[in-house]
Amino acid sequence: MAQKQALHPHRKGSVVWATVLSWLSSLLLALLALCLVLMTTICSAAYMKEQVNRSDFSEAAYSYLYDNFISYGASSGFSADVMTAALSRDQITADMADSITRLYQGDTAIDTRNAILNTTYDNLINDLNSRGVEVTSDVESAVVVVADACRLDYANYVTVPLASQLYTFIEKCSRVVPVAVAIMAVLCAVSLFVMLRLAGSPRYGVRCLTFAFTAAAALCALAATIIFPAIHMEALSINPASVKQLIVTYVQNLFGRFGLFALIYGAVAVILLALTITARSRMKRRQNI
């Protein structure tokens, strides 16, 4: 009896430490989720390409360029159909995807988009020929000016904004985040293992695990639902509208990724809770027999 009483304070202290580790584990799990979110978003070219499609970037860029090209044509005597013949939503999407690929490969130079210049130039010259207009050197020079204005607009709007600064940030994240994921995974495993060892009994260990995953799920759910509305990105003055749409969608879906980890952690917590309830039911049945 004396031996049991002597062990009781030690066991109580271990339980307290197990409880503390359950809190710590929940924070570590949330930090692991943060690292994984960064690795699958900022460090991923595929994620940025996905946001281009989700944000309707191509539609917004097409609308802006369409209006600009028409205005250039109105001032130089070309119809809207001729001026916008080189524009294509699908081509904008493809060119933007190519810009993103080059960005993640370290090429931050703005594409000159000479294909737009050449296509627009050919369309304008063909239109003049079809109307019987003599293409003198002065006329050709004017056509080159109009075509180059279209090229310049296209190059400025169908590109990743602030590519040089963004690549510097992406490069740093690509070096640091994978290491951080590995470190956080190890810390989570060690924390959970020690917590189970200190719990003293399987039942209390499962309770600590359930709390850790439930708290981590709650933290991830808060990150997914509260942070983005709190920063009011829609109110930011960013031009053009296509870039604003892309940035807002990018950040919104980045925080939305926390929702996936909230579901994963929540599912683990539910499974653990179900195991606890099942174990209690079996114990009660055994006691009643």
Side-chain angles (χ1 to χ4, degrees), residues 220-275:
C220 290
L222 288 174
T225 57
I226 292 179
I227 296 179
F228 179 78
I231 58 181
H232 301 291
M233 289 201 67
E234 293 85 351
L236 295 177
S237 179
I238 301 175
N239 288 310
S242 57
V243 173
K244 179 179 179 179
Q245 287 179 216
L246 175 58
I247 293 174
V248 170
T249 303
Y250 186 98
V251 176
Q252 182 179 21
N253 288 320
L254 185 151
F255 285 111
R257 284 287 175 97
F258 282 100
L260 173 62
F261 292 96
L263 290 174
I264 293 173
Y265 292 158
V268 174
V270 169
I271 292 171
L272 291 170
L273 183 61
L275 291 174

Side-chain angles (χ1 to χ4, degrees), residues 83-126:
M83 288 300 305
T84 60
L87 278 179
S88 165
R89 294 175 179 84
D90 292 338
Q91 189 60 50
I92 289 174
T93 301
D95 287 342
M96 191 61 179
D98 179 65
S99 294
I100 293 170
T101 299
R102 290 189 297 104
L103 170 67
Y104 275 81
Q105 292 174 347
D107 183 0
T108 59
I110 296 178
D111 194 315
T112 56
R113 304 300 181 190
N114 286 328
I116 291 292
L117 170 65
N118 296 332
T119 302
T120 303
Y121 173 84
D122 291 341
N123 291 338
L124 299 184
I125 292 297
N126 290 336

Side-chain angles (χ1 to χ4, degrees), residues 10-276:
H10 175 71
R11 183 173 180 274
K12 183 178 179 181
S14 296
V15 169
V16 171
W17 278 110
T19 304
V20 171
L21 281 173
S22 68
W23 283 94
L24 178 61
S25 296
S26 65
L27 294 175
L28 291 175
L29 286 168
L31 289 174
L32 175 61
L34 171 62
C35 293
L36 289 171
V37 165
L38 294 177
M39 189 169 70
T40 57
T41 55
I42 294 175
C43 300
S44 170
Y47 174 78
M48 186 179 286
K49 292 176 183 178
E50 181 183 355
Q51 303 321 302
V52 170
N53 295 327
R54 286 189 174 188
S55 66
D56 291 328
F57 173 90
S58 298
E59 182 64 35
Y62 179 87
S63 298
Y64 180 87
L65 292 171
Y66 186 90
D67 292 341
N68 271 19
F69 284 20
I70 288 178
S71 68
Y72 296 150
S75 62
S76 54
F78 293 99
S79 68
D81 290 339
V82 174
M83 288 300 305
T84 60
L87 278 179
S88 165
R89 294 175 179 84
D90 292 338
Q91 189 60 50
I92 289 174
T93 301
D95 287 342
M96 191 61 179
D98 179 65
S99 294
I100 293 170
T101 299
R102 290 189 297 104
L103 170 67
Y104 275 81
Q105 292 174 347
D107 183 0
T108 59
I110 296 178
D111 194 315
T112 56
R113 304 300 181 190
N114 286 328
I116 291 292
L117 170 65
N118 296 332
T119 302
T120 303
Y121 173 84
D122 291 341
N123 291 338
L124 299 184
I125 292 297
N126 290 336
D127 179 67
L128 291 174
N129 290 332
S130 67
R131 288 188 284 153
V133 176
E134 182 182 359
V135 181
T136 63
S137 59
D138 291 339
V139 171
E140 184 179 8
S141 297
V143 167
V144 170
V145 171
V146 173
D148 191 58
C150 293
R151 176 202 65 79
L152 187 60
D153 265 7
Y154 193 94
N156 286 333
Y157 287 96
V158 185
T159 189
V160 180
L162 301 174
S164 181
Q165 296 86 339
L166 185 58
Y167 176 71
T168 300
F169 181 65
I170 290 172
E171 186 182 28
K172 290 180 179 178
C173 285
S174 297
R175 290 199 308 265
V176 173
V177 171
V179 176
V181 168
I183 293 173
M184 294 310 304
V186 171
L187 289 177
C188 285
V190 171
S191 177
L192 293 172
F193 176 76
V194 174
M195 179 189 71
L196 292 174
R197 292 295 300 270
L198 293 175
S201 67
R203 182 185 301 180
Y204 190 70
V206 172
R207 285 173 59 186
C208 289
L209 272 178
T210 304
F211 171 80
F213 279 97
T214 302
L219 290 173
C220 290
L222 288 174
T225 57
I226 292 179
I227 296 179
F228 179 78
I231 58 181
H232 301 291
M233 289 201 67
E234 293 85 351
L236 295 177
S237 179
I238 301 175
N239 288 310
S242 57
V243 173
K244 179 179 179 179
Q245 287 179 216
L246 175 58
I247 293 174
V248 170
T249 303
Y250 186 98
V251 176
Q252 182 179 21
N253 288 320
L254 185 151
F255 285 111
R257 284 287 175 97
F258 282 100
L260 173 62
F261 292 96
L263 290 174
I264 293 173
Y265 292 158
V268 174
V270 169
I271 292 171
L272 291 170
L273 183 61
L275 291 174
T276 301

